[in-house]
Each structure stands twice: as C-alpha cells, then as structure tokens.
Short mmCIF file of all heavy atoms in Angstrom, two decimals:
data_model
loop_
_atom_site.label_atom_id
_atom_site.label_comp_id
_atom_site.label_asym_id
_atom_site.label_seq_id
_atom_site.Cartn_x
_atom_site.Cartn_y
_atom_site.Cartn_z
N LEU A 357 48.90 133.03 96.65
CA LEU A 357 47.91 134.07 96.93
C LEU A 357 46.52 133.50 97.14
O LEU A 357 45.58 134.26 97.39
CB LEU A 357 47.89 135.08 95.78
CG LEU A 357 49.22 135.77 95.45
CD1 LEU A 357 49.09 136.61 94.19
CD2 LEU A 357 49.70 136.63 96.62
N SER A 358 46.37 132.18 96.99
CA SER A 358 45.07 131.52 97.19
C SER A 358 45.29 130.20 97.90
O SER A 358 46.42 129.69 97.99
CB SER A 358 44.37 131.29 95.85
OG SER A 358 45.03 130.29 95.09
N ARG A 359 44.21 129.61 98.38
CA ARG A 359 44.32 128.34 99.11
C ARG A 359 44.84 127.23 98.23
O ARG A 359 45.69 126.45 98.63
CB ARG A 359 42.94 127.96 99.69
CG ARG A 359 42.96 126.68 100.50
CD ARG A 359 41.60 126.40 101.11
NE ARG A 359 41.19 127.49 102.01
CZ ARG A 359 40.02 127.52 102.65
NH1 ARG A 359 39.14 126.54 102.46
NH2 ARG A 359 39.72 128.52 103.45
N ARG A 360 44.34 127.14 97.00
CA ARG A 360 44.80 126.04 96.14
C ARG A 360 46.26 126.22 95.73
O ARG A 360 46.99 125.25 95.56
CB ARG A 360 43.91 125.89 94.92
CG ARG A 360 43.81 127.08 94.01
CD ARG A 360 42.96 126.74 92.81
NE ARG A 360 42.75 127.89 91.95
CZ ARG A 360 42.17 127.80 90.76
NH1 ARG A 360 41.76 126.62 90.30
NH2 ARG A 360 41.99 128.87 90.03
N ALA A 361 46.69 127.48 95.60
CA ALA A 361 48.10 127.71 95.29
C ALA A 361 48.98 127.31 96.46
O ALA A 361 50.08 126.78 96.26
CB ALA A 361 48.33 129.17 94.93
N ARG A 362 48.51 127.55 97.68
CA ARG A 362 49.28 127.12 98.85
C ARG A 362 49.43 125.60 98.87
O ARG A 362 50.49 125.08 99.24
CB ARG A 362 48.62 127.62 100.13
CG ARG A 362 48.86 129.10 100.41
CD ARG A 362 48.40 129.51 101.78
NE ARG A 362 46.94 129.56 101.87
CZ ARG A 362 46.22 130.64 101.58
NH1 ARG A 362 46.83 131.75 101.17
NH2 ARG A 362 44.92 130.62 101.69
N LEU A 363 48.39 124.91 98.45
CA LEU A 363 48.45 123.45 98.40
C LEU A 363 49.46 122.99 97.34
O LEU A 363 50.28 122.09 97.59
CB LEU A 363 47.07 122.88 98.09
CG LEU A 363 46.96 121.35 98.01
CD1 LEU A 363 47.34 120.73 99.35
CD2 LEU A 363 45.55 120.94 97.59
N VAL A 364 49.41 123.61 96.16
CA VAL A 364 50.35 123.26 95.09
C VAL A 364 51.78 123.54 95.53
O VAL A 364 52.69 122.73 95.32
CB VAL A 364 50.02 124.05 93.80
CG1 VAL A 364 51.13 123.87 92.77
CG2 VAL A 364 48.69 123.58 93.23
N CYS A 365 52.00 124.69 96.16
CA CYS A 365 53.34 125.05 96.61
C CYS A 365 53.87 124.04 97.62
O CYS A 365 55.04 123.63 97.58
CB CYS A 365 53.35 126.44 97.22
SG CYS A 365 53.19 127.77 96.01
N ALA A 366 53.00 123.64 98.54
CA ALA A 366 53.43 122.73 99.59
C ALA A 366 53.78 121.36 99.03
O ALA A 366 54.71 120.70 99.52
CB ALA A 366 52.33 122.60 100.65
N LEU A 367 53.08 120.93 97.98
CA LEU A 367 53.26 119.56 97.48
C LEU A 367 54.25 119.44 96.34
O LEU A 367 54.95 118.43 96.21
CB LEU A 367 51.90 119.00 97.03
CG LEU A 367 50.84 118.82 98.12
CD1 LEU A 367 49.54 118.31 97.50
CD2 LEU A 367 51.32 117.86 99.19
N ALA A 368 54.34 120.48 95.48
CA ALA A 368 55.05 120.27 94.22
C ALA A 368 56.22 121.21 93.96
O ALA A 368 57.31 120.77 93.60
CB ALA A 368 54.06 120.36 93.05
N LEU A 369 56.01 122.51 94.12
CA LEU A 369 56.98 123.47 93.61
C LEU A 369 58.39 123.34 94.18
O LEU A 369 59.35 123.54 93.44
CB LEU A 369 56.47 124.90 93.83
CG LEU A 369 55.42 125.37 92.82
CD1 LEU A 369 55.01 126.80 93.13
CD2 LEU A 369 55.97 125.30 91.40
N PRO A 370 58.57 123.01 95.46
CA PRO A 370 59.95 122.95 95.95
C PRO A 370 60.80 121.90 95.26
O PRO A 370 62.01 121.99 95.25
CB PRO A 370 59.77 122.60 97.44
CG PRO A 370 58.37 122.96 97.77
CD PRO A 370 57.60 122.74 96.50
N ARG A 371 60.15 120.89 94.69
CA ARG A 371 60.89 119.78 94.10
C ARG A 371 60.81 119.73 92.58
O ARG A 371 61.70 119.20 91.92
CB ARG A 371 60.35 118.46 94.65
CG ARG A 371 60.42 118.38 96.16
CD ARG A 371 59.73 117.12 96.69
NE ARG A 371 59.68 117.11 98.14
CZ ARG A 371 58.74 117.69 98.86
NH1 ARG A 371 57.77 118.34 98.27
NH2 ARG A 371 58.78 117.64 100.18
N LEU A 372 59.73 120.29 92.01
CA LEU A 372 59.47 120.08 90.59
C LEU A 372 60.53 120.69 89.70
O LEU A 372 61.13 120.01 88.86
CB LEU A 372 58.09 120.66 90.23
CG LEU A 372 57.66 120.49 88.77
CD1 LEU A 372 57.65 119.02 88.39
CD2 LEU A 372 56.30 121.12 88.53
N ARG A 373 60.82 122.00 89.83
CA ARG A 373 61.75 122.65 88.90
C ARG A 373 63.17 122.12 89.04
O ARG A 373 63.81 121.79 88.03
CB ARG A 373 61.72 124.17 89.10
CG ARG A 373 62.62 124.89 88.11
CD ARG A 373 62.47 126.39 88.21
NE ARG A 373 61.16 126.81 87.77
CZ ARG A 373 60.58 127.95 88.17
NH1 ARG A 373 61.21 128.74 88.99
NH2 ARG A 373 59.38 128.27 87.73
N PRO A 374 63.73 121.98 90.28
CA PRO A 374 65.07 121.40 90.38
C PRO A 374 65.15 119.99 89.81
O PRO A 374 66.15 119.61 89.19
CB PRO A 374 65.35 121.40 91.89
CG PRO A 374 64.47 122.48 92.43
CD PRO A 374 63.24 122.44 91.57
N THR A 375 64.07 119.21 89.99
CA THR A 375 64.05 117.85 89.45
C THR A 375 64.08 117.86 87.93
O THR A 375 64.82 117.10 87.29
CB THR A 375 62.80 117.09 89.94
OG1 THR A 375 62.84 117.02 91.37
CG2 THR A 375 62.77 115.68 89.37
N LEU A 376 63.29 118.74 87.33
CA LEU A 376 63.26 118.82 85.87
C LEU A 376 64.62 119.27 85.32
O LEU A 376 65.07 118.76 84.29
CB LEU A 376 62.17 119.81 85.43
CG LEU A 376 60.73 119.35 85.65
CD1 LEU A 376 59.76 120.45 85.27
CD2 LEU A 376 60.42 118.08 84.84
N LYS A 377 65.28 120.21 85.99
CA LYS A 377 66.59 120.67 85.54
C LYS A 377 67.62 119.55 85.63
O LYS A 377 68.46 119.38 84.74
CB LYS A 377 67.04 121.88 86.36
CG LYS A 377 66.29 123.16 86.01
CD LYS A 377 66.95 124.36 86.64
CE LYS A 377 66.29 125.65 86.15
NZ LYS A 377 66.95 126.86 86.66
N THR A 378 67.54 118.77 86.71
CA THR A 378 68.47 117.65 86.85
C THR A 378 68.25 116.62 85.76
O THR A 378 69.21 116.10 85.17
CB THR A 378 68.29 116.99 88.24
OG1 THR A 378 68.56 117.97 89.24
CG2 THR A 378 69.25 115.82 88.41
N MET A 379 66.99 116.34 85.46
CA MET A 379 66.67 115.38 84.40
C MET A 379 67.19 115.88 83.06
O MET A 379 67.73 115.10 82.25
CB MET A 379 65.15 115.16 84.34
CG MET A 379 64.58 114.39 85.52
SD MET A 379 62.77 114.34 85.49
CE MET A 379 62.47 113.53 83.92
N ALA A 380 67.03 117.19 82.79
CA ALA A 380 67.47 117.75 81.51
C ALA A 380 68.98 117.61 81.35
O ALA A 380 69.48 117.32 80.26
CB ALA A 380 67.06 119.22 81.41
N LYS A 381 69.73 117.80 82.44
CA LYS A 381 71.18 117.70 82.37
C LYS A 381 71.64 116.27 82.10
O LYS A 381 72.74 116.05 81.60
CB LYS A 381 71.80 118.21 83.67
CG LYS A 381 71.69 119.72 83.84
CD LYS A 381 72.30 120.16 85.16
CE LYS A 381 72.18 121.67 85.33
NZ LYS A 381 72.74 122.12 86.62
N ARG A 382 70.80 115.30 82.44
CA ARG A 382 71.19 113.91 82.30
C ARG A 382 70.73 113.27 80.99
O ARG A 382 70.97 112.10 80.74
CB ARG A 382 70.64 113.09 83.48
CG ARG A 382 71.29 113.48 84.82
CD ARG A 382 70.68 112.71 85.97
NE ARG A 382 71.33 113.07 87.23
CZ ARG A 382 70.92 112.63 88.43
NH1 ARG A 382 69.86 111.84 88.52
NH2 ARG A 382 71.56 113.00 89.52
N LEU A 383 70.03 114.05 80.16
CA LEU A 383 69.59 113.52 78.88
C LEU A 383 70.79 113.20 77.99
O LEU A 383 71.77 113.95 77.97
CB LEU A 383 68.68 114.52 78.17
CG LEU A 383 67.27 114.71 78.74
CD1 LEU A 383 66.57 115.85 78.00
CD2 LEU A 383 66.44 113.43 78.64
N PRO A 384 70.73 112.11 77.23
CA PRO A 384 71.83 111.80 76.30
C PRO A 384 72.03 112.93 75.29
O PRO A 384 71.06 113.54 74.82
CB PRO A 384 71.34 110.52 75.60
CG PRO A 384 70.36 109.91 76.56
CD PRO A 384 69.69 111.07 77.24
N ALA A 385 73.28 113.21 74.97
CA ALA A 385 73.60 114.31 74.05
C ALA A 385 72.92 114.15 72.70
O ALA A 385 72.48 115.12 72.09
CB ALA A 385 75.11 114.42 73.88
N ALA A 386 72.83 112.91 72.22
CA ALA A 386 72.19 112.67 70.92
C ALA A 386 70.72 113.07 70.94
O ALA A 386 70.20 113.60 69.97
CB ALA A 386 72.33 111.19 70.54
N TRP A 387 70.04 112.81 72.06
CA TRP A 387 68.63 113.21 72.18
C TRP A 387 68.51 114.73 72.14
O TRP A 387 67.60 115.29 71.51
CB TRP A 387 68.04 112.70 73.49
CG TRP A 387 67.90 111.22 73.56
CD1 TRP A 387 68.41 110.28 72.71
CD2 TRP A 387 67.17 110.49 74.56
NE1 TRP A 387 68.08 109.03 73.11
CE2 TRP A 387 67.31 109.11 74.24
CE3 TRP A 387 66.45 110.86 75.68
CZ2 TRP A 387 66.74 108.11 75.02
CZ3 TRP A 387 65.87 109.87 76.46
CH2 TRP A 387 66.01 108.52 76.13
N VAL A 388 69.42 115.43 72.83
CA VAL A 388 69.37 116.88 72.87
C VAL A 388 69.58 117.46 71.47
O VAL A 388 68.86 118.36 71.04
CB VAL A 388 70.43 117.43 73.85
CG1 VAL A 388 70.49 118.96 73.76
CG2 VAL A 388 70.13 116.99 75.27
N ARG A 389 70.57 116.93 70.74
CA ARG A 389 70.83 117.44 69.39
C ARG A 389 69.64 117.20 68.48
O ARG A 389 69.29 118.05 67.65
CB ARG A 389 72.08 116.78 68.83
CG ARG A 389 73.37 117.30 69.46
CD ARG A 389 74.58 116.83 68.68
NE ARG A 389 74.83 115.41 68.86
CZ ARG A 389 75.60 114.91 69.82
NH1 ARG A 389 76.20 115.70 70.68
NH2 ARG A 389 75.80 113.60 69.91
N ARG A 390 68.98 116.06 68.61
CA ARG A 390 67.80 115.77 67.79
C ARG A 390 66.67 116.74 68.12
O ARG A 390 65.99 117.26 67.22
CB ARG A 390 67.36 114.33 68.04
CG ARG A 390 66.31 113.83 67.03
CD ARG A 390 66.00 112.35 67.23
NE ARG A 390 67.19 111.52 67.08
CZ ARG A 390 67.70 110.76 68.05
NH1 ARG A 390 67.13 110.73 69.23
NH2 ARG A 390 68.77 110.02 67.82
N TRP A 391 66.48 117.03 69.41
CA TRP A 391 65.43 117.96 69.82
C TRP A 391 65.72 119.36 69.27
O TRP A 391 64.81 120.06 68.83
CB TRP A 391 65.33 117.99 71.34
CG TRP A 391 64.30 118.94 71.85
CD1 TRP A 391 62.96 118.75 71.98
CD2 TRP A 391 64.53 120.28 72.32
NE1 TRP A 391 62.36 119.87 72.47
CE2 TRP A 391 63.29 120.81 72.70
CE3 TRP A 391 65.68 121.06 72.46
CZ2 TRP A 391 63.16 122.10 73.20
CZ3 TRP A 391 65.55 122.34 72.96
CH2 TRP A 391 64.30 122.85 73.33
N LEU A 392 66.99 119.78 69.30
CA LEU A 392 67.35 121.11 68.80
C LEU A 392 67.09 121.23 67.31
O LEU A 392 66.66 122.27 66.82
CB LEU A 392 68.82 121.39 69.11
CG LEU A 392 69.16 121.63 70.59
CD1 LEU A 392 70.66 121.68 70.79
CD2 LEU A 392 68.51 122.91 71.09
N LYS A 393 67.36 120.16 66.56
CA LYS A 393 67.09 120.19 65.12
C LYS A 393 65.60 120.36 64.85
O LYS A 393 65.19 121.13 63.98
CB LYS A 393 67.59 118.90 64.47
CG LYS A 393 69.11 118.81 64.37
CD LYS A 393 69.53 117.52 63.70
CE LYS A 393 71.06 117.40 63.61
NZ LYS A 393 71.48 116.14 62.99
N VAL A 394 64.77 119.65 65.60
CA VAL A 394 63.32 119.77 65.44
C VAL A 394 62.86 121.19 65.78
O VAL A 394 62.03 121.78 65.09
CB VAL A 394 62.59 118.74 66.33
CG1 VAL A 394 61.08 118.99 66.31
CG2 VAL A 394 62.90 117.32 65.85
#
C-alpha cells in the first residue's frame, strides 16, 4: 500500500517465508525438542 512496501515485496517476501519454512523442516529433531521444552 506504500512505495517502501512495494520495494520490500519485490525484494524479500516471495522468498522469505517459504525459505524459513524449509529451514524449519530441516532442523535436527533434537534441536526442535529442546526448543519446545524452553
């Protein structure tokens, strides 16, 4: 809805969330269990 948001969308949003989800799926199970305990 603004010029700076258009810039952010063009550079980051199409890749950022899918990339983060892919990274989360690849985390070692032991790390995930430790994070859940915390």
Side-chain angles (χ1 to χ4, degrees):
L357 303 173
S358 70
R359 182 177 299 178
R360 60 177 175 171
R362 283 190 287 272
L363 180 62
V364 170
C365 287
L367 296 178
L369 281 181
R371 303 174 185 86
L372 181 58
R373 183 174 293 156
T375 299
L376 290 176
K377 287 191 173 184
T378 300
M379 290 173 59
K381 290 179 180 178
R382 293 177 179 174
L383 287 174
W387 292 11
V388 174
R389 286 192 288 270
R390 192 175 300 118
W391 179 82
L392 290 171
K393 288 181 181 179
V394 172

